[in-house]
Structure formats: C-alpha cells, structure tokens
Amino acid sequence: MNRISIIGLGWLGLPLAQALQARGFAVAGSCTTPEKSQQLSAAGIRATCWNGDSGEPVPETLCAETMILTLPPSRCQDYLGLLQRLLGQFAEAGCQRLILISSTSVYGAAAAGHEGEEPCPDSARGERMLHAEQLVRASGIPQWAILRPAGLFGPGRHPGRFLSGKATDDGRAPVNLVHLVDVVGILLLLVQQQRWGEVFNACAPGHPSRREFYRQACACLEIPPPLFGGGAAVGKQIDGSKVERVLGYSYQIPDPLAWLSQQPDV
C-alpha cells in the first residue's frame, strides 16, 4: 500500500504526489515532457515521460498496486479509449486499488447533486465522465473509488478568469467550486482510510450566486466582469458533505466568496 502511481503529474497530480510523499508513500507518476520528468525526479518523485495520445502503454515501472488517475479529459484525443486501455493494462499488471478523478458534470442542471442520486448528465462532458466511471466499475480491479470534484480553483487557476467578459443568463444560479487544497486533502484521506467502492463529491459548502461571486472575482483581478442577463435561478447545487460525514474531512476553503478577499492566489 505504500507504493502509489499517479497517472498525470499535473496541476492536481503533482501536489497530490508531494502530499503523499510527505506522508511516507513511495510515489511515481507520469508527465508529458522529458524536462519535467528530470525536474520531478530531482525533487524525489520518480517521474516517467509518457503521453497517452501516443498509443503507447504506460511503462511497466509505473504500474503499482494502487493507481490514481488524474488525466484531464480535455487534453486527451480519445479519453474513453485511453482509459479503457489503461484499465485493461492495470488489471493485467495486478493493480488492486484505483482512484478515478471524475467530475460533478455527471449531474444534470436540475439535479440535487448528491452521491445517492442517479447521475443524468446533460452535456457531452458529463456523459463522457459517467461512461468513464462505468468503465472503472467494470474494470475487474478489485477496489476502486471515484472522486467527483466541482469546479477547480487554486494556484494558477483564479476563478476571476473563468467567465471574464462572457455573457450568461444564469447569474442567480449557485456556484459549485472546490479549492485544490481540499481535493488533495480528500484524496489523502481516501488513500489512508481505504474507502473503496465509494463515490464522493468534492465541493465547498458555500454556494454564493454566480453573479455575486464572479463579479467580485473579476474585481480582484481588475478584469472585465461577466455580463449577466435576467434569467431565473437555474442550476444544480452540489452537496459535498459526504466527505465530512464519512471521511471526517473539514473543508479548508469552505466559502469561495470569503477566499476571494482572504487568499487570492492569483
């Protein structure tokens, strides 16, 4: 259990690797350039250069009993095809535990947004992620867990840039966001507590309206705010409380609106 491989040492995968390493785990992972591989290896993380779009299998040195998949679907030419190949390879290599980073896009716009609800996606992205979850469940890997983060923000990903200057009619809809530090914290507990066969949402408890939040977020960066229409309040509100009840996790950034004025890591 002390050896973990992370496929995708990027914005989420790298800080997760560092946090696991600090807790005594032997961490390996993949990145897409030789330069980054050298930098990570110098920092004590065994990184291997691998690009899923190449069609090449993951190097055998990266196959471990515990695997975490953080690959961004938007950066893969055929995410579902790649995932299916990886799951087959991991199962054959003896992988016993796997965590998939999915998305709350699996819930439709009218959803209640909690884990006990049957997902009903209303977007191509949501349908793709739901299919990905189904592939994991059917992979034959004995133990799995699925984490569905809401909109991700944090260092290098300030929410003020998400909608700046764009026109939208859902200004009264609730915001569903989660900070990087909370996603990493939840994943650490998933690994440490071995909560397999479970699906968890990751979403800050605070849900300000999109109009209030994104206007203030843009003001923090002094960039143009979104242009909100007069539409009615439509949109799901993601319930991220299961990680609190089951894992005992406490969100470090519970209120995205308060974070804007307190810790604007631009």
PDB file of all heavy atoms in Angstrom, residues 145-183:
ATOM      1  N   ALA A 145     -12.349   3.693  -6.111  1.00  0.00           N
ATOM      2  CA  ALA A 145     -13.076   4.827  -5.540  1.00  0.00           C
ATOM      3  C   ALA A 145     -13.154   5.907  -6.605  1.00  0.00           C
ATOM      4  O   ALA A 145     -12.272   6.004  -7.477  1.00  0.00           O
ATOM      5  CB  ALA A 145     -12.390   5.356  -4.284  1.00  0.00           C
ATOM      6  N   ILE A 146     -14.204   6.704  -6.563  1.00  0.00           N
ATOM      7  CA  ILE A 146     -14.406   7.767  -7.546  1.00  0.00           C
ATOM      8  C   ILE A 146     -14.608   9.084  -6.800  1.00  0.00           C
ATOM      9  O   ILE A 146     -15.437   9.164  -5.886  1.00  0.00           O
ATOM     10  CB  ILE A 146     -15.626   7.463  -8.434  1.00  0.00           C
ATOM     11  CG1 ILE A 146     -15.349   6.237  -9.314  1.00  0.00           C
ATOM     12  CG2 ILE A 146     -15.971   8.677  -9.305  1.00  0.00           C
ATOM     13  CD1 ILE A 146     -16.583   5.701 -10.030  1.00  0.00           C
ATOM     14  N   LEU A 147     -13.827  10.087  -7.173  1.00  0.00           N
ATOM     15  CA  LEU A 147     -13.994  11.423  -6.603  1.00  0.00           C
ATOM     16  C   LEU A 147     -14.489  12.359  -7.691  1.00  0.00           C
ATOM     17  O   LEU A 147     -13.884  12.453  -8.764  1.00  0.00           O
ATOM     18  CB  LEU A 147     -12.665  11.943  -6.034  1.00  0.00           C
ATOM     19  CG  LEU A 147     -12.753  13.311  -5.350  1.00  0.00           C
ATOM     20  CD1 LEU A 147     -13.628  13.238  -4.097  1.00  0.00           C
ATOM     21  CD2 LEU A 147     -11.367  13.837  -4.997  1.00  0.00           C
ATOM     22  N   ARG A 148     -15.589  13.052  -7.401  1.00  0.00           N
ATOM     23  CA  ARG A 148     -16.184  13.992  -8.353  1.00  0.00           C
ATOM     24  C   ARG A 148     -15.968  15.420  -7.853  1.00  0.00           C
ATOM     25  O   ARG A 148     -16.788  15.947  -7.091  1.00  0.00           O
ATOM     26  CB  ARG A 148     -17.678  13.738  -8.499  1.00  0.00           C
ATOM     27  CG  ARG A 148     -18.051  12.374  -9.073  1.00  0.00           C
ATOM     28  CD  ARG A 148     -19.536  12.114  -8.935  1.00  0.00           C
ATOM     29  NE  ARG A 148     -19.944  10.869  -9.576  1.00  0.00           N
ATOM     30  CZ  ARG A 148     -21.127  10.270  -9.368  1.00  0.00           C
ATOM     31  NH1 ARG A 148     -21.998  10.812  -8.518  1.00  0.00           N
ATOM     32  NH2 ARG A 148     -21.421   9.139  -9.986  1.00  0.00           N
ATOM     33  N   PRO A 149     -14.902  16.084  -8.262  1.00  0.00           N
ATOM     34  CA  PRO A 149     -14.718  17.488  -7.853  1.00  0.00           C
ATOM     35  C   PRO A 149     -15.657  18.411  -8.619  1.00  0.00           C
ATOM     36  O   PRO A 149     -15.966  18.185  -9.792  1.00  0.00           O
ATOM     37  CB  PRO A 149     -13.254  17.784  -8.215  1.00  0.00           C
ATOM     38  CG  PRO A 149     -12.641  16.448  -8.517  1.00  0.00           C
ATOM     39  CD  PRO A 149     -13.745  15.586  -9.000  1.00  0.00           C
ATOM     40  N   ALA A 150     -16.077  19.481  -7.949  1.00  0.00           N
ATOM     41  CA  ALA A 150     -16.785  20.567  -8.622  1.00  0.00           C
ATOM     42  C   ALA A 150     -15.751  21.411  -9.374  1.00  0.00           C
ATOM     43  O   ALA A 150     -14.633  20.953  -9.629  1.00  0.00           O
ATOM     44  CB  ALA A 150     -17.546  21.388  -7.585  1.00  0.00           C
ATOM     45  N   GLY A 151     -16.094  22.635  -9.729  1.00  0.00           N
ATOM     46  CA  GLY A 151     -15.146  23.482 -10.450  1.00  0.00           C
ATOM     47  C   GLY A 151     -13.880  23.719  -9.636  1.00  0.00           C
ATOM     48  O   GLY A 151     -13.939  24.142  -8.483  1.00  0.00           O
ATOM     49  N   LEU A 152     -12.743  23.449 -10.239  1.00  0.00           N
ATOM     50  CA  LEU A 152     -11.466  23.520  -9.527  1.00  0.00           C
ATOM     51  C   LEU A 152     -10.868  24.924  -9.586  1.00  0.00           C
ATOM     52  O   LEU A 152     -10.826  25.546 -10.660  1.00  0.00           O
ATOM     53  CB  LEU A 152     -10.481  22.530 -10.136  1.00  0.00           C
ATOM     54  CG  LEU A 152     -10.861  21.049 -10.008  1.00  0.00           C
ATOM     55  CD1 LEU A 152     -10.008  20.199 -10.947  1.00  0.00           C
ATOM     56  CD2 LEU A 152     -10.705  20.584  -8.580  1.00  0.00           C
ATOM     57  N   PHE A 153     -10.404  25.413  -8.438  1.00  0.00           N
ATOM     58  CA  PHE A 153      -9.677  26.683  -8.432  1.00  0.00           C
ATOM     59  C   PHE A 153      -8.539  26.583  -7.433  1.00  0.00           C
ATOM     60  O   PHE A 153      -8.482  25.676  -6.604  1.00  0.00           O
ATOM     61  CB  PHE A 153     -10.604  27.863  -8.115  1.00  0.00           C
ATOM     62  CG  PHE A 153     -11.088  27.933  -6.678  1.00  0.00           C
ATOM     63  CD1 PHE A 153     -10.548  28.867  -5.800  1.00  0.00           C
ATOM     64  CD2 PHE A 153     -12.092  27.100  -6.205  1.00  0.00           C
ATOM     65  CE1 PHE A 153     -10.995  28.964  -4.485  1.00  0.00           C
ATOM     66  CE2 PHE A 153     -12.549  27.196  -4.902  1.00  0.00           C
ATOM     67  CZ  PHE A 153     -11.997  28.120  -4.036  1.00  0.00           C
ATOM     68  N   GLY A 154      -7.607  27.524  -7.550  1.00  0.00           N
ATOM     69  CA  GLY A 154      -6.435  27.499  -6.687  1.00  0.00           C
ATOM     70  C   GLY A 154      -5.252  28.150  -7.375  1.00  0.00           C
ATOM     71  O   GLY A 154      -5.436  28.953  -8.311  1.00  0.00           O
ATOM     72  N   PRO A 155      -4.037  27.847  -6.964  1.00  0.00           N
ATOM     73  CA  PRO A 155      -2.848  28.485  -7.539  1.00  0.00           C
ATOM     74  C   PRO A 155      -2.795  28.340  -9.059  1.00  0.00           C
ATOM     75  O   PRO A 155      -2.894  27.232  -9.593  1.00  0.00           O
ATOM     76  CB  PRO A 155      -1.694  27.733  -6.872  1.00  0.00           C
ATOM     77  CG  PRO A 155      -2.272  27.221  -5.591  1.00  0.00           C
ATOM     78  CD  PRO A 155      -3.701  26.899  -5.891  1.00  0.00           C
ATOM     79  N   GLY A 156      -2.670  29.469  -9.735  1.00  0.00           N
ATOM     80  CA  GLY A 156      -2.610  29.445 -11.193  1.00  0.00           C
ATOM     81  C   GLY A 156      -3.957  29.261 -11.859  1.00  0.00           C
ATOM     82  O   GLY A 156      -4.045  29.205 -13.091  1.00  0.00           O
ATOM     83  N   ARG A 157      -5.019  29.143 -11.073  1.00  0.00           N
ATOM     84  CA  ARG A 157      -6.362  28.938 -11.632  1.00  0.00           C
ATOM     85  C   ARG A 157      -7.347  29.799 -10.839  1.00  0.00           C
ATOM     86  O   ARG A 157      -8.173  29.313 -10.077  1.00  0.00           O
ATOM     87  CB  ARG A 157      -6.734  27.459 -11.572  1.00  0.00           C
ATOM     88  CG  ARG A 157      -7.960  27.122 -12.400  1.00  0.00           C
ATOM     89  CD  ARG A 157      -8.232  25.630 -12.416  1.00  0.00           C
ATOM     90  NE  ARG A 157      -7.245  24.877 -13.144  1.00  0.00           N
ATOM     91  CZ  ARG A 157      -7.382  23.603 -13.517  1.00  0.00           C
ATOM     92  NH1 ARG A 157      -8.479  22.956 -13.216  1.00  0.00           N
ATOM     93  NH2 ARG A 157      -6.411  22.990 -14.167  1.00  0.00           N
ATOM     94  N   HIS A 158      -7.220  31.110 -11.017  1.00  0.00           N
ATOM     95  CA  HIS A 158      -8.090  32.038 -10.298  1.00  0.00           C
ATOM     96  C   HIS A 158      -9.455  32.080 -10.974  1.00  0.00           C
ATOM     97  O   HIS A 158      -9.555  32.245 -12.197  1.00  0.00           O
ATOM     98  CB  HIS A 158      -7.471  33.439 -10.284  1.00  0.00           C
ATOM     99  CG  HIS A 158      -8.126  34.379  -9.316  1.00  0.00           C
ATOM    100  ND1 HIS A 158      -9.357  34.935  -9.559  1.00  0.00           N
ATOM    101  CD2 HIS A 158      -7.734  34.839  -8.099  1.00  0.00           C
ATOM    102  CE1 HIS A 158      -9.695  35.710  -8.550  1.00  0.00           C
ATOM    103  NE2 HIS A 158      -8.726  35.669  -7.642  1.00  0.00           N
ATOM    104  N   PRO A 159     -10.552  31.950 -10.202  1.00  0.00           N
ATOM    105  CA  PRO A 159     -11.891  31.900 -10.812  1.00  0.00           C
ATOM    106  C   PRO A 159     -12.300  33.177 -11.519  1.00  0.00           C
ATOM    107  O   PRO A 159     -13.238  33.163 -12.324  1.00  0.00           O
ATOM    108  CB  PRO A 159     -12.812  31.598  -9.628  1.00  0.00           C
ATOM    109  CG  PRO A 159     -12.036  31.981  -8.412  1.00  0.00           C
ATOM    110  CD  PRO A 159     -10.594  31.739  -8.746  1.00  0.00           C
ATOM    111  N   GLY A 160     -11.613  34.288 -11.237  1.00  0.00           N
ATOM    112  CA  GLY A 160     -11.936  35.512 -11.951  1.00  0.00           C
ATOM    113  C   GLY A 160     -11.751  35.387 -13.450  1.00  0.00           C
ATOM    114  O   GLY A 160     -12.393  36.106 -14.229  1.00  0.00           O
ATOM    115  N   ARG A 161     -10.911  34.472 -13.868  1.00  0.00           N
ATOM    116  CA  ARG A 161     -10.642  34.295 -15.303  1.00  0.00           C
ATOM    117  C   ARG A 161     -11.635  33.348 -15.965  1.00  0.00           C
ATOM    118  O   ARG A 161     -11.615  33.206 -17.190  1.00  0.00           O
ATOM    119  CB  ARG A 161      -9.211  33.791 -15.504  1.00  0.00           C
ATOM    120  CG  ARG A 161      -8.149  34.761 -14.999  1.00  0.00           C
ATOM    121  CD  ARG A 161      -6.748  34.337 -15.437  1.00  0.00           C
ATOM    122  NE  ARG A 161      -5.757  35.301 -14.983  1.00  0.00           N
ATOM    123  CZ  ARG A 161      -5.075  35.213 -13.848  1.00  0.00           C
ATOM    124  NH1 ARG A 161      -5.279  34.162 -13.044  1.00  0.00           N
ATOM    125  NH2 ARG A 161      -4.189  36.128 -13.510  1.00  0.00           N
ATOM    126  N   PHE A 162     -12.482  32.687 -15.192  1.00  0.00           N
ATOM    127  CA  PHE A 162     -13.377  31.685 -15.768  1.00  0.00           C
ATOM    128  C   PHE A 162     -14.416  32.298 -16.705  1.00  0.00           C
ATOM    129  O   PHE A 162     -14.695  31.756 -17.767  1.00  0.00           O
ATOM    130  CB  PHE A 162     -14.108  30.916 -14.661  1.00  0.00           C
ATOM    131  CG  PHE A 162     -13.221  30.051 -13.793  1.00  0.00           C
ATOM    132  CD1 PHE A 162     -13.738  29.396 -12.691  1.00  0.00           C
ATOM    133  CD2 PHE A 162     -11.872  29.885 -14.074  1.00  0.00           C
ATOM    134  CE1 PHE A 162     -12.947  28.590 -11.888  1.00  0.00           C
ATOM    135  CE2 PHE A 162     -11.057  29.089 -13.271  1.00  0.00           C
ATOM    136  CZ  PHE A 162     -11.605  28.441 -12.175  1.00  0.00           C
ATOM    137  N   LEU A 163     -15.015  33.423 -16.293  1.00  0.00           N
ATOM    138  CA  LEU A 163     -16.135  33.992 -17.062  1.00  0.00           C
ATOM    139  C   LEU A 163     -15.910  35.434 -17.472  1.00  0.00           C
ATOM    140  O   LEU A 163     -16.836  36.073 -17.981  1.00  0.00           O
ATOM    141  CB  LEU A 163     -17.426  33.911 -16.233  1.00  0.00           C
ATOM    142  CG  LEU A 163     -17.962  32.527 -15.875  1.00  0.00           C
ATOM    143  CD1 LEU A 163     -19.229  32.661 -15.033  1.00  0.00           C
ATOM    144  CD2 LEU A 163     -18.257  31.717 -17.131  1.00  0.00           C
ATOM    145  N   SER A 164     -14.734  35.966 -17.273  1.00  0.00           N
ATOM    146  CA  SER A 164     -14.485  37.379 -17.550  1.00  0.00           C
ATOM    147  C   SER A 164     -14.909  37.772 -18.967  1.00  0.00           C
ATOM    148  O   SER A 164     -14.496  37.163 -19.953  1.00  0.00           O
ATOM    149  CB  SER A 164     -12.991  37.683 -17.371  1.00  0.00           C
ATOM    150  OG  SER A 164     -12.721  39.029 -17.723  1.00  0.00           O
ATOM    151  N   GLY A 165     -15.774  38.796 -19.041  1.00  0.00           N
ATOM    152  CA  GLY A 165     -16.207  39.328 -20.326  1.00  0.00           C
ATOM    153  C   GLY A 165     -17.229  38.497 -21.068  1.00  0.00           C
ATOM    154  O   GLY A 165     -17.675  38.890 -22.147  1.00  0.00           O
ATOM    155  N   LYS A 166     -17.648  37.357 -20.504  1.00  0.00           N
ATOM    156  CA  LYS A 166     -18.574  36.473 -21.195  1.00  0.00           C
ATOM    157  C   LYS A 166     -20.020  36.820 -20.824  1.00  0.00           C
ATOM    158  O   LYS A 166     -20.294  37.294 -19.727  1.00  0.00           O
ATOM    159  CB  LYS A 166     -18.289  35.010 -20.859  1.00  0.00           C
ATOM    160  CG  LYS A 166     -16.902  34.552 -21.317  1.00  0.00           C
ATOM    161  CD  LYS A 166     -16.654  33.100 -20.946  1.00  0.00           C
ATOM    162  CE  LYS A 166     -15.273  32.656 -21.407  1.00  0.00           C
ATOM    163  NZ  LYS A 166     -14.998  31.243 -21.017  1.00  0.00           N
ATOM    164  N   ALA A 167     -20.937  36.538 -21.730  1.00  0.00           N
ATOM    165  CA  ALA A 167     -22.363  36.770 -21.484  1.00  0.00           C
ATOM    166  C   ALA A 167     -23.017  35.477 -21.016  1.00  0.00           C
ATOM    167  O   ALA A 167     -22.781  34.405 -21.584  1.00  0.00           O
ATOM    168  CB  ALA A 167     -23.048  37.262 -22.755  1.00  0.00           C
ATOM    169  N   THR A 168     -23.825  35.565 -19.967  1.00  0.00           N
ATOM    170  CA  THR A 168     -24.504  34.389 -19.434  1.00  0.00           C
ATOM    171  C   THR A 168     -25.806  34.814 -18.773  1.00  0.00           C
ATOM    172  O   THR A 168     -25.914  35.936 -18.269  1.00  0.00           O
ATOM    173  CB  THR A 168     -23.617  33.642 -18.414  1.00  0.00           C
ATOM    174  OG1 THR A 168     -24.348  32.551 -17.859  1.00  0.00           O
ATOM    175  CG2 THR A 168     -23.148  34.561 -17.306  1.00  0.00           C
ATOM    176  N   ASP A 169     -26.804  33.931 -18.775  1.00  0.00           N
ATOM    177  CA  ASP A 169     -28.112  34.253 -18.210  1.00  0.00           C
ATOM    178  C   ASP A 169     -28.358  33.622 -16.853  1.00  0.00           C
ATOM    179  O   ASP A 169     -29.461  33.709 -16.317  1.00  0.00           O
ATOM    180  CB  ASP A 169     -29.230  33.792 -19.159  1.00  0.00           C
ATOM    181  CG  ASP A 169     -29.344  34.696 -20.376  1.00  0.00           C
ATOM    182  OD1 ASP A 169     -29.020  35.886 -20.247  1.00  0.00           O
ATOM    183  OD2 ASP A 169     -29.737  34.197 -21.444  1.00  0.00           O
ATOM    184  N   ASP A 170     -27.353  32.935 -16.276  1.00  0.00           N
ATOM    185  CA  ASP A 170     -27.607  32.190 -15.036  1.00  0.00           C
ATOM    186  C   ASP A 170     -26.938  32.842 -13.831  1.00  0.00           C
ATOM    187  O   ASP A 170     -26.360  32.178 -12.994  1.00  0.00           O
ATOM    188  CB  ASP A 170     -27.152  30.731 -15.182  1.00  0.00           C
ATOM    189  CG  ASP A 170     -25.686  30.615 -15.576  1.00  0.00           C
ATOM    190  OD1 ASP A 170     -25.048  31.658 -15.806  1.00  0.00           O
ATOM    191  OD2 ASP A 170     -25.184  29.487 -15.637  1.00  0.00           O
ATOM    192  N   GLY A 171     -27.064  34.166 -13.729  1.00  0.00           N
ATOM    193  CA  GLY A 171     -26.401  34.876 -12.643  1.00  0.00           C
ATOM    194  C   GLY A 171     -26.919  34.529 -11.259  1.00  0.00           C
ATOM    195  O   GLY A 171     -26.202  34.687 -10.272  1.00  0.00           O
ATOM    196  N   ARG A 172     -28.143  34.043 -11.163  1.00  0.00           N
ATOM    197  CA  ARG A 172     -28.714  33.708  -9.852  1.00  0.00           C
ATOM    198  C   ARG A 172     -28.440  32.270  -9.443  1.00  0.00           C
ATOM    199  O   ARG A 172     -28.741  31.860  -8.324  1.00  0.00           O
ATOM    200  CB  ARG A 172     -30.217  33.969  -9.868  1.00  0.00           C
ATOM    201  CG  ARG A 172     -30.596  35.446 -10.012  1.00  0.00           C
ATOM    202  CD  ARG A 172     -32.085  35.612 -10.230  1.00  0.00           C
ATOM    203  NE  ARG A 172     -32.867  34.992  -9.164  1.00  0.00           N
ATOM    204  CZ  ARG A 172     -34.177  34.741  -9.246  1.00  0.00           C
ATOM    205  NH1 ARG A 172     -34.840  35.063 -10.354  1.00  0.00           N
ATOM    206  NH2 ARG A 172     -34.826  34.180  -8.250  1.00  0.00           N
ATOM    207  N   ALA A 173     -27.888  31.485 -10.343  1.00  0.00           N
ATOM    208  CA  ALA A 173     -27.597  30.080 -10.039  1.00  0.00           C
ATOM    209  C   ALA A 173     -26.459  29.986  -9.019  1.00  0.00           C
ATOM    210  O   ALA A 173     -25.611  30.871  -8.941  1.00  0.00           O
ATOM    211  CB  ALA A 173     -27.222  29.342 -11.323  1.00  0.00           C
ATOM    212  N   PRO A 174     -26.419  28.923  -8.230  1.00  0.00           N
ATOM    213  CA  PRO A 174     -25.365  28.789  -7.216  1.00  0.00           C
ATOM    214  C   PRO A 174     -24.027  28.400  -7.822  1.00  0.00           C
ATOM    215  O   PRO A 174     -23.961  27.713  -8.841  1.00  0.00           O
ATOM    216  CB  PRO A 174     -25.896  27.675  -6.305  1.00  0.00           C
ATOM    217  CG  PRO A 174     -26.778  26.856  -7.193  1.00  0.00           C
ATOM    218  CD  PRO A 174     -27.404  27.832  -8.147  1.00  0.00           C
ATOM    219  N   VAL A 175     -22.967  28.846  -7.172  1.00  0.00           N
ATOM    220  CA  VAL A 175     -21.608  28.476  -7.561  1.00  0.00           C
ATOM    221  C   VAL A 175     -21.252  27.146  -6.910  1.00  0.00           C
ATOM    222  O   VAL A 175     -21.546  26.905  -5.736  1.00  0.00           O
ATOM    223  CB  VAL A 175     -20.612  29.569  -7.115  1.00  0.00           C
ATOM    224  CG1 VAL A 175     -19.188  29.048  -7.100  1.00  0.00           C
ATOM    225  CG2 VAL A 175     -20.721  30.779  -8.031  1.00  0.00           C
ATOM    226  N   ASN A 176     -20.618  26.265  -7.675  1.00  0.00           N
ATOM    227  CA  ASN A 176     -20.125  24.987  -7.165  1.00  0.00           C
ATOM    228  C   ASN A 176     -18.626  24.904  -7.456  1.00  0.00           C
ATOM    229  O   ASN A 176     -18.228  24.658  -8.595  1.00  0.00           O
ATOM    230  CB  ASN A 176     -20.852  23.822  -7.843  1.00  0.00           C
ATOM    231  CG  ASN A 176     -22.339  23.820  -7.560  1.00  0.00           C
ATOM    232  OD1 ASN A 176     -22.763  23.602  -6.431  1.00  0.00           O
ATOM    233  ND2 ASN A 176     -23.138  24.075  -8.588  1.00  0.00           N
ATOM    234  N   LEU A 177     -17.821  25.154  -6.429  1.00  0.00           N
ATOM    235  CA  LEU A 177     -16.374  25.193  -6.605  1.00  0.00           C
ATOM    236  C   LEU A 177     -15.682  24.433  -5.474  1.00  0.00           C
ATOM    237  O   LEU A 177     -16.246  24.242  -4.398  1.00  0.00           O
ATOM    238  CB  LEU A 177     -15.873  26.640  -6.605  1.00  0.00           C
ATOM    239  CG  LEU A 177     -16.277  27.530  -7.778  1.00  0.00           C
ATOM    240  CD1 LEU A 177     -15.863  28.979  -7.513  1.00  0.00           C
ATOM    241  CD2 LEU A 177     -15.654  27.041  -9.080  1.00  0.00           C
ATOM    242  N   VAL A 178     -14.445  24.026  -5.725  1.00  0.00           N
ATOM    243  CA  VAL A 178     -13.634  23.402  -4.685  1.00  0.00           C
ATOM    244  C   VAL A 178     -12.174  23.768  -4.925  1.00  0.00           C
ATOM    245  O   VAL A 178     -11.698  23.786  -6.055  1.00  0.00           O
ATOM    246  CB  VAL A 178     -13.821  21.875  -4.654  1.00  0.00           C
ATOM    247  CG1 VAL A 178     -13.362  21.210  -5.948  1.00  0.00           C
ATOM    248  CG2 VAL A 178     -13.107  21.262  -3.459  1.00  0.00           C
ATOM    249  N   HIS A 179     -11.469  24.124  -3.843  1.00  0.00           N
ATOM    250  CA  HIS A 179     -10.073  24.532  -3.934  1.00  0.00           C
ATOM    251  C   HIS A 179      -9.162  23.311  -4.038  1.00  0.00           C
ATOM    252  O   HIS A 179      -9.467  22.234  -3.507  1.00  0.00           O
ATOM    253  CB  HIS A 179      -9.698  25.359  -2.702  1.00  0.00           C
ATOM    254  CG  HIS A 179      -8.414  26.117  -2.843  1.00  0.00           C
ATOM    255  ND1 HIS A 179      -7.181  25.527  -2.674  1.00  0.00           N
ATOM    256  CD2 HIS A 179      -8.162  27.422  -3.133  1.00  0.00           C
ATOM    257  CE1 HIS A 179      -6.233  26.436  -2.845  1.00  0.00           C
ATOM    258  NE2 HIS A 179      -6.810  27.593  -3.135  1.00  0.00           N
ATOM    259  N   LEU A 180      -8.054  23.493  -4.708  1.00  0.00           N
ATOM    260  CA  LEU A 180      -7.066  22.426  -4.873  1.00  0.00           C
ATOM    261  C   LEU A 180      -6.671  21.796  -3.545  1.00  0.00           C
ATOM    262  O   LEU A 180      -6.558  20.565  -3.429  1.00  0.00           O
ATOM    263  CB  LEU A 180      -5.822  22.991  -5.574  1.00  0.00           C
ATOM    264  CG  LEU A 180      -4.616  22.054  -5.693  1.00  0.00           C
ATOM    265  CD1 LEU A 180      -4.936  20.851  -6.567  1.00  0.00           C
ATOM    266  CD2 LEU A 180      -3.408  22.811  -6.240  1.00  0.00           C
ATOM    267  N   VAL A 181      -6.473  22.607  -2.524  1.00  0.00           N
ATOM    268  CA  VAL A 181      -6.023  22.075  -1.238  1.00  0.00           C
ATOM    269  C   VAL A 181      -7.046  21.102  -0.658  1.00  0.00           C
ATOM    270  O   VAL A 181      -6.670  20.121   0.012  1.00  0.00           O
ATOM    271  CB  VAL A 181      -5.734  23.228  -0.246  1.00  0.00           C
ATOM    272  CG1 VAL A 181      -7.003  23.929   0.185  1.00  0.00           C
ATOM    273  CG2 VAL A 181      -4.967  22.726   0.963  1.00  0.00           C
ATOM    274  N   ASP A 182      -8.325  21.318  -0.927  1.00  0.00           N
ATOM    275  CA  ASP A 182      -9.353  20.414  -0.422  1.00  0.00           C
ATOM    276  C   ASP A 182      -9.412  19.121  -1.229  1.00  0.00           C
ATOM    277  O   ASP A 182      -9.637  18.044  -0.669  1.00  0.00           O
ATOM    278  CB  ASP A 182     -10.711  21.106  -0.410  1.00  0.00           C
ATOM    279  CG  ASP A 182     -10.840  22.093   0.746  1.00  0.00           C
ATOM    280  OD1 ASP A 182     -10.459  21.729   1.874  1.00  0.00           O
ATOM    281  OD2 ASP A 182     -11.281  23.232   0.519  1.00  0.00           O
ATOM    282  N   VAL A 183      -9.224  19.196  -2.526  1.00  0.00           N
ATOM    283  CA  VAL A 183      -9.209  17.972  -3.328  1.00  0.00           C
ATOM    284  C   VAL A 183      -8.055  17.078  -2.887  1.00  0.00           C
ATOM    285  O   VAL A 183      -8.218  15.861  -2.707  1.00  0.00           O
ATOM    286  CB  VAL A 183      -9.109  18.296  -4.831  1.00  0.00           C
ATOM    287  CG1 VAL A 183      -9.065  17.006  -5.654  1.00  0.00           C
ATOM    288  CG2 VAL A 183     -10.287  19.145  -5.278  1.00  0.00           C
TER     289      VAL A 183
END
